[in-house]
Amino acid sequence: MGIQDIIEGKKQWRAHMARVKALPPDYQIVYKEIQRYFFKVGPVGLADGSLLSGIVDFFEEGVGARKGVLELIGNDVAAFCDDLIKDSRTYADIYQESISGKPGTAEK
């Protein structure tokens, strides 16, 4: 990864966060909770940015439809997150596989 890649990544992240800050306050709070949850759980695909960007797209559509954030995701943020990544590998899965010595043995 060169310096240009790092600079481009930072530009993309700043643009992404500007979109988040443009959301209504209740959406921002839920987005931050989702982000915190994903950073803790660690879905492997999180690094490419498409998951979080997709959530912002979804939230922007909800705002446009004049829906509350909980109307979109339900009352349980963690359950919403789990459902989004249920078929994704997490860093916890990779760690579990490394200590068991068998790839694909981590339970979902």
Side-chain angles (χ1 to χ4, degrees), residues 27-97:
Y27 278 83
Q28 289 182 41
I29 290 167
V30 171
Y31 174 85
K32 289 176 185 172
E33 288 301 314
I34 290 170
Q35 184 184 46
R36 184 176 298 122
Y37 185 85
F38 284 151
F39 286 169
K40 185 176 182 180
V41 173
V44 175
L46 188 62
D48 72 8
S50 63
L51 180 61
L52 293 175
S53 183
I55 291 169
V56 175
D57 292 341
F58 180 59
F59 280 7
E60 288 170 339
E61 290 174 19
V63 170
R66 299 186 179 270
K67 292 187 176 185
V69 68
L70 296 181
E71 287 180 74
L72 295 177
I73 69 161
N75 291 324
D76 190 341
V77 175
F80 174 77
C81 294
D82 286 340
D83 194 45
L84 285 176
I85 62 169
K86 67 182 173 205
D87 296 325
S88 301
R89 291 189 62 195
T90 65
Y91 289 108
D93 294 335
I94 293 170
Y95 174 73
Q96 188 66 33
E97 291 166 6

Side-chain angles (χ1 to χ4, degrees), residues 4-16:
Q4 290 299 90
D5 295 332
I6 294 170
I7 292 169
E8 185 59 33
K10 284 188 176 190
K11 285 181 184 177
Q12 290 174 358
W13 182 252
R14 286 187 187 119
H16 173 80

